[in-house]
Amino acid sequence: MSSDIENLAKQTENLSIEPIYNTNWCDMPAEIKVECIGKMELIERLSLRSTAKDERSLVDSQTIKFRKGEFRGNAYCFDASLYSENGYELSKNLTDSSNEAFEFVRYIWKVGVFENLKISFYGTAYTRKMKKYTGEIKAKNVELHYGDILILPMIVQKLNDGIESIMTYPDSRGAPNLDFNKLFAIPQIQNVPYWHIGNCDQTESLHRVAKMWIDRNSKVGCTFQIYIFADGSFKEFLEHFTERIVSKNEKRARIRTNNPDRHIILERGLIEIVDDLVEIPQFFRLMVISVEMKESEYDDNCEKWISKICPEYREENNI
Amino acid sequence: MSSTEQGTSSAAPAEPTTAPESAAAPEVPESFYYVHGKDKVVHKVSAGALQHSALIHGMISNLGYTEEQAKANPFPFENIDGDILQMVVDWCNQHKGKPTPPEDTNLPKQKEKLFDLVLAVNYLEIKELLTYCCKQVAMMVKGKSPEEIREIWMIPTDAEDEAAEKEAKKRAGKEAAGETAAAAGDAK
């Protein structure tokens, strides 16, 4: 009996010492909530923004970083895969509704900052949606697959200024002619350090990119790659810049720019492809280089840069 | 919680306790400062440990206290519960002069306690601990649905919010009317 009383006394004593906590999420100042939201994955943010309008506006005010984001849409279906910096993955599949799909895309692009972003939009519905989209797409490296060439400049125009690489591929039906005048007028194309076009039939692309760089006094390191099935690109380049040629051979051509510190080098990726392909693509790399660069410093390993523009080549050759 | 003694007041503190320190004994004598929370229990903390708190570090830099002066004038944090301040002091001592690890598993799991800790840490401007705490708060709702989050964090729905706002307005209106009537009565 006496021990029971002692126990009870102890418990009461403890109770009186233990503080009472009433603090909860709603007592947190907005700057703390925002800090916590910054630690959440997308799925939890989406849940939190569905609880109340105040939470929604806080969640929507914060960007979220993704290691990779892939958006694929056509007339029949849409799917997206998002990979967070911490390795979490979120997939979204929708059928038959470009409206709903684009609502999702719009939201994710609004809050998302992508290390690598892949967009594959086919069909006029997506072209119409992109035309109306006024937001910015925040990405470091972007890979664009397209069926309708109209959509390409629409997407590129929406990329953020700090974009580091733009990789474009037409769909499997072939290479529609790109409107270079339109593309070269876009600041993102003018300033991007790396741009490549996979599968293009326009042999003028190389000299037109070089011309753009000369006109814009582009920085050393700017790189453009292309693979092309039509013949004549190299020859056309040489003809166009006859008066600027510094050196040339069957693999390379080096030209002067208007800047005495910079040259532009065009390299051919001469590789052996053993395949049943009827047509063999020709690979080219164009770069702004320092005038100081010696021939001994040229990169003879074209396989490495070819594999960047042509992932199939990388896979087949284990590069 | 480590052993503590009830302090009497900020002006005349009882013998303070020193929170356990994991760091090796310093080669040069270190200066100590004193802090207390709502419960008036005074904690003796080294200047090195207190460097984690931008707020206290700023205060110390401006004061230039001697050991005696520091002992006689503990920093009062009346807005922080005693056990929460103890947690903060313990953390500062454990991480004194050390690079902070990417994770901290010793934070409280009890949500209200964690939120109190967050508020205290935010007030004391302890950046690294705040990062851990916010991570822990985020973990509380990992994999939860909106309904579950609302329940865990007691988030009112928009309808509840609106109703509460209406009620508050109504009450304020009544109180104002009452005051006006009382003032009119006084005037008569």
Side-chain angles (χ1 to χ4, degrees), chain B residues 130-186:
Chain B
L130 185 63
T131 303
Y132 292 138
C133 289
C134 290
K135 227 181 235 182
Q136 187 83 14
V137 170
M139 287 302 287
M140 286 165 74
V141 294
K142 192 161 173 49
K144 305 289 184 206
S145 67
E147 270 314 307
E148 287 170 323
I149 293 178
R150 197 177 280 137
E151 203 174 305
I152 293 167
W153 282 350
M154 296 165 73
I155 300 171
T157 60
D158 290 338
E160 285 167 346
D161 252 349
E162 276 167 28
E165 213 170 292
K166 264 187 195 169
E167 187 59 36
K169 267 187 193 166
K170 215 173 169 183
R171 209 179 307 126
K174 270 184 189 173
E175 277 171 15
E179 276 172 20
T180 315
D186 286 347

Side-chain angles (χ1 to χ4, degrees), chain A residues 57-76:
Chain A
S57 63
L58 274 182
V59 170
D60 292 354
S61 71
Q62 295 307 296
T63 56
I64 180 166
K65 286 182 183 171
F66 294 105
R67 186 171 49 80
K68 195 163 88 173
E70 295 178 343
F71 299 87
R72 293 166 292 265
N74 59 34
Y76 311 102

Side-chain angles (χ1 to χ4, degrees), chain B residues 15 52 56 66 72 76 124 126 134 150 161 169 172 181:
Chain B
E15 269 306 299
H52 283 289
I56 303 178
T66 63
L124 295 169
I126 306 175
C134 290
R150 197 177 280 137
D161 252 349
K169 267 187 193 166

